[in-house]
Amino acid sequence: METTQGQGSGDGYKYEVVKGNIVSAVESGALLPGDRIPSLRDMSKKSQVSITTVMKAYLELEREGRLESRPQSGFYVRPNCRGIAAPRISSPELKPTRLDSFHFQFNVLNAMADSSIVPLGAATPATELLPLTELTRLSRQAANGHENAYGYEEITGNRKLRAQIAYHMLEAGISAHMDDIIVTNGATEALYIALSILAGPGDTVAVESPCYFGYLHILETLGIDVLEIPTHPESGIEIDALQKALDAYEIKACILQPNFNNPFGCLTPDDKKNEIADLLASRNVSLIEDDIVGDLPFSGVRPHAITSFSNKVDSVFISSFSKMLAPGFRIGWIYSRNRHEELLKRKMAVSINTNRPAQLTLAAYLSAGRYSKHLKNYAAQCRKQVGLVSAAVAKYFPENTRLSRPEGGFLLWAVLPEGIDTDILYTKALAEGIGIAPGSIFTSQNRYRNCVRLSCAHPYSNKIDRALKRLGELAQESR
Ligand SMILES: Cc1ncc(COP(=O)(O)O)c(C=O)c1O
């Protein structure tokens, strides 16, 4: 980062210069969200000002929400700190809803799968970010080296893979026995199985609001009503609101994604995770914890799962390799300390077992010991891409747009000014070959019509930049 030499006379002027340099470095993309900024000593030397002056500038930038200090480590650029405001806490109606929105979601999902459109809609990683050459090699090896590679797998899943999954779950703070893990057809089947044993038609399940549209689709299919809980865009579900909902309604389960939820990308802090675990345990409400992108932290620190915080909460933990390695393998898993038999019975009814060649390949990949390195590089890429898309939104989208500040994963949630209808924006953008996910599919209520989820899962390019610019123009035109 280039710094302007402090030439002014007073201290006040000098600290403004230090501040200004950092702000412009962030705004130009030279410093990305999550980047460590020069230490007080280095900055003081570079800018030829005292350490006290630099400290004053850093503290003010921290107060303004542009920097964050990390104990014993220094100051870092805050995720999405380009002066664009964060979304407000959501405020859905605290009342169960019966769902009937599948049709529109189906169209949007189909458009997301179309590889010819600019991929700002689908939460699907770019192939160049995944270790596909290695997976292809291991897949061939697995097929040749196994006497029945294309046969049925054990119902619970491949042993070697389950052992690797159990080992990997230690990163999320969960000490799971491999025999309590069931391999599933993606997180989707895991969610379906979990929901179908925890609730039935006419029951109510609580979710964050907005939430991943797949939850709504599964709930609708099972005839389960959904209760959307107000959610903080930077710390997840609001505990007071959850408590109120639990007081008012009989809720069978709560689906949460505390580690980089879809669509906000926020991280629920540990103390809040603890409180949630205690609250659900005290009310005998089951937790379905979706940890599908917990392995993609921007800070480098893999957050723990709520499931690891308490043995008392009746938790069903779900994840998959769809966002980390290979969406097309359709390999996910489900883990529960005390519901294994029920889950297994349901899994047998739904699909008996899961794709063996894919499991053999993943078991070989995970055993080779390169997964952690892949995740580290991949998370760094996602952090960078989220930073660049955030900068483009700040530049191109209408004034007063708000934007989430994800701490992991690759999703952004933009709240456009009132009056812009993102269902219409979605249709117009699609006609120009640009994919987005309109806010309306993330709720069971008539909400988020001025919101849009943007996926940053692809390396930033001129094509993506042009698409974001065009989206900004289309949004302006529709005001
Ligand atoms: C939060 C969340 N959970 C679950 C899923 C489904 O994952 P899978 O492709 O493994 O079925 C997705 C996919 O986008 C997701 O975003």
Coordinates of all heavy atoms in Angstrom, one line a residue, residues 109 122-124 184-191 211-215 218 257 260-263 290-293 318-323 326-328 330-333 410-411 453, ligand 1:
L109 N -34.2 -21.9 -9.8 CA -33.2 -22.9 -9.6 C -32.7 -23.4 -11.0 O -31.5 -23.6 -11.2 CB -33.8 -24.1 -8.9 CG -33.7 -24.1 -7.4 CD1 -34.2 -25.4 -6.9 CD2 -32.3 -23.9 -6.9
A122 N -26.2 -18.5 -8.6 CA -26.0 -19.9 -8.0 C -24.9 -19.9 -6.9 O -23.8 -19.3 -7.2 CB -25.7 -20.9 -9.1
A123 N -25.2 -20.6 -5.8 CA -24.1 -20.7 -4.8 C -23.3 -22.0 -5.1 O -23.2 -22.9 -4.4 CB -24.8 -20.9 -3.4
T124 N -22.7 -21.9 -6.3 CA -21.9 -23.1 -6.8 C -20.5 -22.6 -7.1 O -20.3 -21.7 -7.8 CB -22.6 -23.5 -8.1 OG1 -23.9 -23.7 -7.9 CG2 -21.9 -24.8 -8.6
T184 N -25.1 -39.1 3.0 CA -26.4 -38.9 2.4 C -26.2 -38.3 0.9 O -25.0 -37.9 0.6 CB -27.2 -37.8 3.1 OG1 -26.4 -36.6 3.3 CG2 -27.6 -38.3 4.5
N185 N -27.2 -38.2 0.2 CA -27.2 -37.6 -1.1 C -27.2 -36.1 -0.9 O -28.3 -35.4 -1.0 CB -28.3 -38.1 -2.0 CG -28.2 -39.5 -2.4 OD1 -27.3 -39.9 -3.2 ND2 -29.0 -40.4 -1.8
G186 N -26.1 -35.5 -0.7 CA -26.0 -34.1 -0.4 C -26.6 -33.7 0.9 O -27.2 -34.5 1.6
A187 N -26.4 -32.4 1.2 CA -27.1 -31.9 2.5 C -28.6 -31.9 2.3 O -29.3 -32.0 3.3 CB -26.6 -30.5 2.8
T188 N -29.0 -31.8 1.1 CA -30.5 -31.8 0.8 C -31.2 -33.0 1.4 O -32.2 -32.9 2.1 CB -30.8 -31.6 -0.7 OG1 -30.1 -30.4 -1.1 CG2 -32.2 -31.5 -1.0
E189 N -30.6 -34.2 1.0 CA -31.2 -35.4 1.6 C -31.1 -35.5 3.1 O -32.1 -35.9 3.8 CB -30.6 -36.7 1.0 CG -31.4 -37.9 1.4 CD -30.7 -39.2 0.9 OE1 -29.6 -39.5 1.3 OE2 -31.4 -39.9 0.1
A190 N -30.0 -35.0 3.6 CA -29.8 -35.0 5.1 C -30.9 -34.1 5.7 O -31.5 -34.5 6.7 CB -28.4 -34.5 5.4
L191 N -31.2 -33.0 5.1 CA -32.2 -32.0 5.7 C -33.6 -32.7 5.6 O -34.4 -32.6 6.5 CB -32.2 -30.7 4.9 CG -31.1 -29.8 5.1 CD1 -30.9 -28.8 4.0 CD2 -31.3 -29.0 6.5
C211 N -33.8 -17.0 4.9 CA -33.1 -18.3 5.0 C -32.9 -19.0 3.6 O -33.6 -18.6 2.6 CB -33.9 -19.3 5.9 SG -35.4 -19.9 5.2
Y212 N -32.1 -20.0 3.6 CA -31.8 -20.7 2.4 C -33.2 -21.3 1.8 O -33.9 -21.9 2.6 CB -30.8 -21.9 2.7 CG -30.7 -22.9 1.6 CD1 -30.5 -22.6 0.3 CD2 -30.9 -24.3 1.9 CE1 -30.3 -23.6 -0.7 CE2 -30.7 -25.3 1.0 CZ -30.5 -24.9 -0.3 OH -30.4 -25.9 -1.3
F213 N -33.4 -21.0 0.5 CA -34.7 -21.4 0.0 C -35.0 -22.9 0.0 O -36.1 -23.3 0.0 CB -34.9 -20.8 -1.4 CG -33.8 -21.0 -2.3 CD1 -33.6 -22.2 -3.0 CD2 -32.8 -20.0 -2.5 CE1 -32.5 -22.4 -3.8 CE2 -31.7 -20.3 -3.3 CZ -31.5 -21.5 -4.0
G214 N -33.9 -23.7 0.0 CA -34.1 -25.1 0.0 C -34.8 -25.6 1.3 O -35.6 -26.6 1.2
Y215 N -34.6 -24.9 2.4 CA -35.4 -25.3 3.6 C -36.9 -25.1 3.4 O -37.7 -26.0 3.8 CB -35.0 -24.4 4.8 CG -33.6 -24.3 5.2 CD1 -33.1 -23.2 5.9 CD2 -32.7 -25.3 4.9 CE1 -31.8 -23.1 6.3 CE2 -31.4 -25.3 5.3 CZ -30.9 -24.2 6.0 OH -29.6 -24.1 6.4
I218 N -38.3 -28.0 1.2 CA -38.4 -29.2 1.9 C -39.6 -29.2 2.9 O -40.4 -30.1 3.0 CB -37.1 -29.6 2.6 CG1 -36.0 -29.9 1.6 CG2 -37.3 -30.9 3.4 CD1 -34.6 -30.1 2.2
Q257 N -28.1 -22.1 10.7 CA -26.8 -22.2 10.0 C -25.9 -21.1 10.6 O -25.7 -20.0 10.1 CB -27.0 -21.9 8.5 CG -25.9 -22.4 7.6 CD -25.9 -21.9 6.2 OE1 -26.9 -21.3 5.8 NE2 -24.8 -22.1 5.5
F260 N -21.7 -18.8 8.9 CA -21.7 -18.2 7.5 C -23.0 -18.6 6.8 O -23.0 -19.2 5.8 CB -20.5 -18.6 6.7 CG -19.3 -18.6 7.5 CD1 -18.4 -19.7 7.5 CD2 -18.9 -17.5 8.3 CE1 -17.3 -19.7 8.3 CE2 -17.8 -17.5 9.1 CZ -17.0 -18.6 9.1
N261 N -24.1 -18.1 7.4 CA -25.4 -18.6 6.9 C -25.7 -18.0 5.5 O -25.1 -17.1 5.0 CB -26.6 -18.2 7.9 CG -26.7 -16.7 7.9 OD1 -25.9 -15.9 7.4 ND2 -27.8 -16.2 8.6
N262 N -26.6 -18.7 4.8 CA -27.1 -18.4 3.5 C -28.4 -17.7 3.7 O -29.3 -18.3 4.3 CB -27.3 -19.7 2.7 CG -27.8 -19.5 1.3 OD1 -28.2 -18.4 1.0 ND2 -27.8 -20.6 0.6
P263 N -28.6 -16.4 3.4 CA -27.8 -15.6 2.5 C -26.9 -14.5 3.2 O -26.1 -13.9 2.4 CB -28.9 -14.8 1.7 CG -30.0 -14.6 2.7 CD -30.0 -15.8 3.6
D290 N -27.1 -26.7 10.1 CA -26.5 -26.9 8.8 C -25.2 -26.1 8.8 O -25.1 -24.9 8.9 CB -27.5 -26.2 7.8 CG -27.1 -26.3 6.4 OD1 -25.9 -26.5 6.1 OD2 -28.0 -26.0 5.5
D291 N -24.1 -26.9 8.5 CA -22.8 -26.4 8.6 C -22.1 -26.4 7.3 O -20.9 -26.6 7.2 CB -22.0 -27.1 9.7 CG -20.7 -26.5 10.0 OD1 -20.7 -25.3 10.4 OD2 -19.6 -27.1 9.9
I292 N -22.8 -26.2 6.2 CA -22.3 -26.6 4.9 C -21.1 -25.7 4.4 O -20.3 -26.1 3.6 CB -23.5 -26.5 3.8 CG1 -23.1 -27.2 2.5 CG2 -24.0 -25.1 3.6 CD1 -24.3 -27.5 1.6
V293 N -21.0 -24.5 4.9 CA -19.8 -23.7 4.6 C -19.0 -23.3 5.8 O -18.2 -22.3 5.7 CB -20.2 -22.4 3.7 CG1 -20.6 -22.8 2.3 CG2 -21.2 -21.5 4.4
I318 N -25.6 -31.4 10.1 CA -25.7 -31.7 8.6 C -24.6 -30.9 7.9 O -24.3 -29.8 8.2 CB -27.1 -31.2 8.1 CG1 -28.1 -32.3 8.4 CG2 -27.0 -30.9 6.6 CD1 -29.5 -31.9 8.3
S319 N -24.0 -31.6 6.9 CA -23.1 -30.9 6.1 C -22.9 -31.6 4.8 O -23.6 -32.7 4.6 CB -21.7 -30.7 6.7 OG -20.9 -29.7 6.0
S320 N -22.1 -31.1 3.9 CA -21.8 -31.8 2.6 C -20.5 -31.3 2.0 O -20.0 -30.3 2.4 CB -23.0 -31.7 1.7 OG -22.9 -30.5 0.8
F321 N -20.1 -32.0 0.9 CA -18.9 -31.6 0.2 C -19.3 -30.8 -1.0 O -18.4 -30.5 -1.9 CB -18.1 -32.8 -0.2 CG -17.5 -33.6 0.9 CD1 -18.0 -34.8 1.3 CD2 -16.5 -33.1 1.6 CE1 -17.5 -35.5 2.4 CE2 -15.9 -33.7 2.7 CZ -16.5 -34.9 3.1
S322 N -20.6 -30.4 -1.1 CA -21.0 -29.7 -2.4 C -20.4 -28.4 -2.6 O -20.1 -28.0 -3.7 CB -22.5 -29.5 -2.3 OG -23.2 -30.7 -2.2
K323 N -20.1 -27.6 -1.5 CA -19.6 -26.3 -1.7 C -18.0 -26.3 -1.6 O -17.4 -25.4 -1.9 CB -20.1 -25.3 -0.6 CG -21.6 -25.3 -0.4 CD -22.3 -24.8 -1.7 CE -23.8 -25.0 -1.5 NZ -24.6 -24.7 -2.7
A326 N -17.1 -30.9 -4.6 CA -17.7 -31.4 -5.9 C -19.2 -31.4 -5.7 O -19.7 -32.4 -5.2 CB -17.1 -32.7 -6.2
P327 N -19.9 -30.4 -6.1 CA -21.4 -30.4 -6.0 C -22.0 -31.6 -6.7 O -23.0 -32.2 -6.1 CB -21.8 -29.1 -6.6 CG -20.6 -28.3 -6.9 CD -19.4 -29.2 -6.7
G328 N -21.5 -32.0 -7.8 CA -22.1 -33.1 -8.6 C -21.9 -34.4 -7.9 O -22.6 -35.4 -8.3
R330 N -22.8 -35.2 -5.1 CA -24.0 -35.3 -4.2 C -23.7 -36.0 -2.9 O -24.4 -37.0 -2.5 CB -25.2 -35.9 -4.9 CG -25.6 -35.3 -6.3 CD -25.9 -33.8 -6.2 NE -26.9 -33.5 -5.3 CZ -26.8 -32.5 -4.4 NH1 -25.7 -31.9 -4.2 NH2 -27.8 -32.2 -3.6
I331 N -22.6 -35.7 -2.3 CA -22.2 -36.4 -1.0 C -22.3 -35.4 0.2 O -21.6 -34.4 0.2 CB -20.8 -37.0 -1.1 CG1 -20.7 -38.0 -2.2 CG2 -20.5 -37.7 0.2 CD1 -21.5 -39.3 -2.1
G332 N -23.2 -35.8 1.1 CA -23.3 -35.0 2.3 C -23.3 -36.0 3.5 O -23.1 -37.2 3.3
W333 N -23.6 -35.5 4.7 CA -23.8 -36.4 5.8 C -24.6 -35.8 6.9 O -24.9 -34.6 6.9 CB -22.4 -36.8 6.3 CG -21.6 -35.8 7.0 CD1 -21.6 -35.6 8.4 CD2 -20.7 -34.9 6.5 NE1 -20.7 -34.6 8.7 CE2 -20.1 -34.1 7.5 CE3 -20.3 -34.6 5.2 CZ2 -19.2 -33.1 7.3 CZ3 -19.3 -33.6 5.0 CH2 -18.8 -32.8 6.0
F410 N -19.3 -17.5 0.5 CA -19.1 -16.7 -0.7 C -20.4 -16.0 -1.1 O -20.6 -15.7 -2.3 CB -18.6 -17.5 -1.9 CG -19.2 -18.9 -2.0 CD1 -20.5 -19.0 -2.4 CD2 -18.4 -20.0 -1.8 CE1 -21.1 -20.3 -2.6 CE2 -19.0 -21.3 -1.9 CZ -20.3 -21.4 -2.3
L411 N -21.2 -15.7 -0.2 CA -22.5 -15.0 -0.5 C -22.6 -13.6 0.1 O -22.1 -13.3 1.1 CB -23.7 -15.9 0.0 CG -23.8 -17.3 -0.5 CD1 -24.8 -18.1 0.2 CD2 -24.0 -17.3 -2.0
R453 N -29.6 -11.8 -3.5 CA -28.4 -12.5 -3.0 C -27.4 -12.6 -4.2 O -27.8 -13.0 -5.3 CB -28.7 -13.9 -2.5 CG -27.5 -14.6 -1.9 CD -27.7 -16.1 -1.7 NE -27.7 -16.8 -2.9 CZ -27.8 -18.1 -3.1 NH1 -28.1 -18.9 -2.0 NH2 -27.7 -18.7 -4.3
Ligands
LIG1 C1 -27.4 -23.5 3.4 C2 -27.4 -24.7 2.4 N1 -27.8 -25.9 2.9 C3 -27.9 -26.9 2.1 C4 -27.7 -26.8 0.7 C5 -27.8 -28.1 -0.1 O1 -26.6 -28.7 -0.3 P1 -26.3 -29.9 -1.2 O2 -26.0 -29.5 -2.6 O3 -25.2 -30.7 -0.6 O4 -27.6 -30.8 -1.2 C6 -27.3 -25.6 0.2 C7 -27.0 -25.5 -1.2 O5 -27.0 -24.4 -1.8 C8 -27.2 -24.5 1.1 O6 -26.8 -23.3 0.6

